[in-house]
């Protein structure tokens, strides 16, 4: 991955047609703001993830920077996955990828990440109920199976309200050129809500140039 920041948990991508699972487990930049008193290169902090391959199953367990536990268990055959784990590795219409399931609150919330870059790869992290994620899947990542759609029969209306979601921006401070620029980024007030459809796109040529 070239140590490119992609969040605090492994990135899973499920190919929409072949269902092949690809996993990026290098989370070296999971917390660039981590304490560097004892290690100047500490960009991980307390973030940790354990990835297990058990035959056709992929299991991920871990802890985010704020201490939140997360994890998922997914099968190479998507029809054998349970909700909300089945959402991991699928893309939302806003371009973000669903990365993990939060263990708190009976595992009702998932977390997605959108990379605003290159070259600096600032990350926008969203946390929201899995029902909202299910309704927001990009075409090609949706299901036609009634088994997977069953959770919509018992959907909780308040979970679809905008107040049920939260977002944050993780800036890759190590990618900024000068100390002054870093301090400006730290001091700048981050927006409380992010419009994923405005100002966060980049050209394919920019991406290829950065890689």
């Amino acid at each position: 991955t070239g140590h490119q920041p992609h969040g605090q948990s492994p990135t899973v991508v499920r190919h929409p047609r072949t269902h092949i699972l690809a996993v990026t487990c290098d989370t070296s930049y999971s917390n660039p703001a981590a304490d560097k008193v004892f290690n100047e290169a500490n960009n991980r902090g307390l973030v940790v993830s354990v990835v297990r391959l058990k035959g056709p199953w992929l299991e991920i367990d871990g802890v985010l920077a704020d201490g939140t536990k997360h994890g998922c268990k997914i099968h190479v055959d998507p029809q054998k996955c349970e909700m909300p784990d089945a959402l991991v590795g699928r893309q939302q219409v806003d371009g973000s990828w669903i990365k993990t399931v939060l263990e708190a609150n009976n595992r009702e919330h998932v977390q997605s990440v959108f990379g605003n870059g290159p070259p600096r790869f600032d990350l926008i992290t969203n946390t929201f109920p899995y029902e909202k994620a299910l309704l927001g899947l990009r075409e090609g990542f949706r299901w036609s199976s009634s088994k997977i759609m069953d959770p919509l029969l018992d959907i909780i209306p308040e979970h679809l309200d905008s107040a049920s979601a939260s977002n944050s921006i993780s800036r890759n401070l190590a990618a900024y050129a000068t100390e002054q620029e870093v301090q400006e980024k730290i001091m700048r007030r981050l927006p409380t809500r992010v419009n994923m459809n405005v100002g966060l796109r980049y050209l394919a040529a920019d991406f290829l140039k950065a890689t």
Side-chain angles (χ1 to χ4, degrees):
T1 63
H3 298 289
Q4 295 171 354
H6 58 89
Q8 299 177 25
S9 62
T11 294
V12 179
V13 175
R14 185 188 291 276
H15 191 275
R17 292 188 300 275
T18 66
H19 306 306
I20 291 175
L21 289 174
V23 188
T24 297
C25 304
D26 180 356
T27 57
S28 302
Y29 284 95
S30 51
N31 186 11
D35 192 333
K36 295 177 173 54
V37 173
F38 298 105
N39 182 2
E40 294 183 358
N42 182 16
N43 287 314
R44 195 185 303 274
L46 300 178
V47 176
V48 62
S49 292
V50 177
V51 180
R52 303 181 184 89
L53 297 176
K54 296 184 176 180
W57 289 95
L58 168 66
E59 296 181 3
I60 299 176
D61 296 289
V63 179
L64 304 178
D66 62 0
T68 300
K69 294 183 178 180
H70 70 90
C72 64
K73 180 179 180 180
I74 54 180
H75 196 278
V76 292
D77 179 356
Q79 299 302 325
K80 295 184 179 180
C81 297
E82 300 292 335
M83 295 296 293
D85 301 65
L87 290 165
V88 174
R90 298 178 184 269
Q91 192 175 34
Q92 296 277 277
V93 292
D94 60 19
S96 64
W97 291 86
I98 301 173
K99 298 196 61 174
T100 192
V101 180
L102 304 186
E103 296 294 341
N105 300 316
N106 296 318
R107 307 186 80 240
E108 292 180 350
H109 288 73
V110 297
Q111 190 174 85
S112 71
V113 172
F114 182 96
N116 181 21
R120 288 168 175 165
F121 295 95
D122 292 334
L123 304 176
I124 300 171
T125 301
N126 289 280
T127 300
F128 44 91
Y130 74 85
E131 296 101 327
K132 181 177 289 188
L134 187 58
L135 293 175
L137 288 174
R138 181 178 177 181
E139 186 176 359
F141 289 89
R142 303 169 188 165
W143 288 274
S144 58
S145 168
S146 58
K147 173 187 175 183
I148 296 296
M149 297 303 289
D150 278 349
L152 292 182
L153 299 177
D154 300 315
I155 197 167
I156 302 175
E158 54 265 31
H159 280 183
L160 300 182
D161 186 86
S162 59
S164 67
S166 62
N167 56 51
S168 63
I169 297 180
S170 172
R171 298 200 184 279
N172 174 25
L173 301 182
Y176 290 91
T178 66
E179 173 126 0
Q180 180 179 354
E181 195 175 7
V182 170
Q183 293 303 317
E184 288 176 355
K185 289 296 182 182
I186 294 175
M187 298 301 294
R188 184 178 300 171
R189 182 176 179 178
L190 298 177
T192 55
R193 190 164 297 278
V194 178
N195 185 342
M196 302 298 290
N197 298 314
V198 178
L200 296 176
R201 300 293 181 182
Y202 54 87
L203 299 177
D206 295 333
F207 179 82
L208 294 174
K209 182 179 179 180
T211 56

